[in-house]
Amino acid sequence: QVQLVESGGGLVQAGGSLRLSCAVSGSIFSINVMGWYRQAPGKQRELVALIPSGGSTNYTDSVKGRFTISRDNAKNTVRLQMNSLKPEDTAVYYCNAVLRVDVHDPYHAYWGQGTQVTVSS
């Protein structure tokens, strides 16, 4: 069974940094897009950053210049380096991966359980 396990969330002061990691485990044939989403209380889930297997990274405007997404294909992991954190970054952050478990299977999306990021002012 494919699982996405996140780590690195926590409490940090404004201006500080956190690094989120997500490890994809299970029998996997290939991973296409990996990304991070977040959801603040009372708001819809929003895209934070994407990193396709062979394309350019993509960020929502509010995090450009502060967040960096990267991936390690050998380890099936994706990382989100978050610098200059602001209170408005406070949210549950979710890892996402579009993958297929076998060459004969279609790609579809898997989600992590979410990790809380809280930025104090």
Side-chain angles (χ1 to χ4, degrees):
Q1 183 175 352
V2 175
Q3 290 185 314
L4 278 63
V5 180
E6 298 153 316
S7 62
L11 175 64
V12 66
Q13 294 182 350
S17 299
L18 284 174
R19 184 173 64 191
L20 305 182
S21 295
C22 174
V24 182
S25 63
S27 181
I28 301 166
F29 180 75
S30 65
I31 303 176
N32 195 338
V33 179
M34 304 183 79
W36 290 93
Y37 296 73
R38 67 185 181 187
Q39 186 168 20
K43 301 182 68 175
Q44 288 193 338
R45 185 176 301 184
E46 67 170 343
L47 172 69
V48 178
L50 290 175
I51 182 166
S53 60
S56 301
T57 55
N58 184 269
Y59 301 90
T60 190
D61 287 342
S62 63
V63 308
K64 287 181 179 177
R66 300 188 297 119
F67 291 11
T68 302
I69 188 171
S70 61
R71 62 190 287 176
D72 186 334
N73 292 327
K75 298 180 179 179
N76 289 337
T77 61
V78 61
R79 187 174 71 182
L80 185 68
Q81 178 67 46
M82 304 185 294
N83 298 326
S84 301
L85 283 162
K86 305 175 181 179
E88 49 263 47
D89 295 319
T90 296
V92 178
Y93 284 70
Y94 297 90
C95 177
N96 173 266
V98 178
L99 58 86
R100 59 179 177 177
V101 299
D102 188 88
V103 67
H104 301 111
D105 296 330
Y107 286 96
H108 68 275
Y110 292 82
W111 291 90
Q113 77 286 354
T115 184
Q116 178 70 47
V117 172
T118 302
V119 184
S120 62
S121 60

